[in-house]
Amino acid sequence: MEQYGKMSIIGHLSELRKRIIISFLAFVVGFIISYTFIDEIRSFVLKPAQGLELIYLSPPELFLAYLKIAFITGFILASPVIILQFWLFIKPALKKEEKKHLIFAMIMGLIFFLIGASFAYYVIIPMSINFFVRMSVDDITPMFSVVNYLKFVNSLLLSFGLVFQLPLLIILLSQLNLITPKTLRKYRKFVILAIFTVSAFITPPDIISQVMMAVPMMILYEFSLIASSVIYKRKKNKNK
């Protein structure tokens, strides 16, 4: 494979164009597959809302909701190909140690994202919906539009998927000697404040969702602190 250092600007652009085209085609295929199985995917997405009456408020709303579901699912199906194309594009410019760190980050990032999204889907979303339904009264029937339900679900899935990247970020910073366990302990109070602030911004505008996100984030932070301590001790023993 031709090294990046020997490639011209035209060569870089040509390689980038190739990776973008492959990624786009992978997304198109993923979108088509997703829309083909839209009924099964819809059932899966709506499963946490069992017992609720979902409605759509305008003629094209349900169709647009289906397109949105197929778009997101298609991107998820294409993500392994997109990640691979990203890796193939930057690989020639990386050193051996950098390649190891990046491979670790990509694999663990995907795993942590899936764990976070699964936690939101199986735990947080049903709890949130159950809480809001219980707030209904005799003369007010809880009915949700499909679009608003999808916005609610997507925001929580994405938010928890990103939040669960926290341990990976701290592990990588510890591995690169950019942060120490002492620093993490020193600024714990400020981190907790930042966690609640971030939760207020990236979750739906209700205190329940914010608290349910903040608590796992604090647990993840403590887990990250332990992981950072283990890495720090190993590096210290290795340098003796």
Side-chain angles (χ1 to χ4, degrees), residues 6-178:
K6 299 178 181 179
M7 288 180 66
S8 64
I9 294 178
I10 300 299
H12 283 295
L13 294 176
S14 177
E15 181 71 13
L16 178 61
R17 177 174 173 271
K18 175 184 174 182
R19 301 303 170 194
I20 291 175
I21 290 174
I22 294 174
S23 298
F24 177 74
L25 291 176
F27 166 73
V28 171
V29 172
F31 178 85
I32 293 173
I33 293 173
S34 299
Y35 199 80
T36 302
F37 294 94
I38 193 64
D39 290 334
E40 291 79 4
I41 298 171
R42 179 200 63 205
S43 298
F44 178 79
V45 173
L46 299 182
K47 189 176 180 180
Q50 286 182 347
L52 293 180
E53 184 178 355
L54 295 177
I55 60 174
Y56 59 97
L57 306 175
S58 64
E61 188 173 29
L62 185 60
F63 173 70
L64 294 175
Y66 281 2
L67 289 180
K68 186 174 183 179
I69 292 173
F71 182 92
I72 295 172
T73 310
F75 182 80
I76 293 172
L77 292 177
S79 59
V81 177
I82 295 173
I83 292 173
L84 176 62
Q85 297 310 306
F86 171 76
W87 166 250
L88 292 175
F89 179 72
I90 66 172
K91 180 183 175 182
L94 299 176
K95 298 177 182 178
K96 185 177 180 180
E97 194 67 22
E98 292 173 335
K99 290 178 182 178
K100 287 169 57 178
H101 287 312
L102 186 57
I103 291 175
F104 172 79
M106 289 192 298
I107 294 175
M108 295 306 298
L110 181 59
I111 291 174
F112 277 114
F113 185 89
L114 292 175
I115 292 173
S118 298
F119 179 72
Y121 178 83
Y122 289 105
V123 179
I124 302 301
I125 294 174
M127 286 176 59
S128 299
I129 292 176
N130 185 53
F131 173 81
F132 294 125
V133 169
R134 287 184 178 182
M135 293 180 66
S136 63
V137 293
D138 293 337
D139 56 343
I140 302 178
T141 303
M143 292 196 306
F144 300 82
S145 74
V146 175
V147 170
N148 286 332
Y149 172 79
L150 288 177
K151 286 181 181 178
F152 178 76
V153 170
N154 288 337
S155 64
L156 286 179
L157 292 178
L158 180 61
S159 298
F160 275 85
L162 294 176
V163 161
F164 272 62
Q165 305 297 311
L166 180 62
L168 174 62
L169 176 63
I170 292 180
I171 288 172
L172 287 175
L173 292 176
S174 299
Q175 194 70 38
L176 296 172
N177 296 320
L178 297 176

